[in-house]
Amino acid sequence: MELDLEKCRQQLLALQAELRDVAETGDAATATVELDQTRVGRLSRMDAMQAQAMSLEARRRREDTLRRVAAALRRLDGGDYGYCAGCDEPVDPRRLEFDPAATHCISCATAMDGSS
């Protein structure tokens, strides 16, 4: 199976656009939680604080993925896309089809996961 760089670029650009769209609509949930007990009950505030924490984590993950996508696009432009950052061997195109921002082959990714 050969790597289709243009298809990878389109996947990365689509993912980038989708994440940016979600960011525009999702940031309202990270607003400061109202602490006035006369307006909102304690359980409602706890629910709001939990929702806020989940939204903040979702935003952190979204920003991390956007950074990975931007780095993958730079690698595409630089001619380094599709090569493992660990061993410099080609990354299996099926892995890149699943995660177009992947930076490591399965062997190196598994070794990194096992060492943490």
Side-chain angles (χ1 to χ4, degrees):
M1 180 177 198
E2 193 168 317
L3 184 61
D4 182 349
L5 293 178
E6 190 52 38
K7 181 180 177 184
C8 292
R9 180 182 304 280
Q10 294 308 314
Q11 283 181 293
L12 288 163
L13 291 172
L15 178 57
Q16 187 178 55
E18 178 184 338
L19 290 169
R20 286 181 176 161
D21 287 345
V22 170
E24 289 177 14
T25 59
D27 284 342
T30 63
T32 303
V33 175
E34 180 68 47
L35 295 178
D36 183 1
Q37 280 190 322
T38 60
R39 294 184 59 200
V40 180
R42 184 171 64 95
L43 291 177
S44 295
R45 277 195 328 278
M46 289 173 57
D47 287 342
M49 290 170 67
Q50 182 179 14
Q52 178 191 37
M54 290 182 347
S55 293
L56 287 169
E57 177 60 18
R59 180 172 64 183
R60 185 197 64 76
R61 288 181 183 199
R62 191 172 49 248
E63 289 170 351
D64 181 55
T65 302
L66 279 168
R67 280 190 293 275
R68 291 179 59 239
V69 167
L73 288 167
R74 285 191 301 273
R75 288 193 307 276
L76 260 168
D77 292 339
D80 295 329
Y81 184 79
Y83 291 94
C84 178
C87 65
D88 208 30
E89 291 295 318
V91 175
D92 190 321
R94 293 173 296 185
R95 178 166 170 77
L96 292 170
E97 186 175 315
F98 177 76
D99 179 7
T103 58
H104 292 83
C105 67
I106 287 290
S107 297
C108 289
T110 302
M112 287 178 8
D113 287 343
S115 65
S116 30

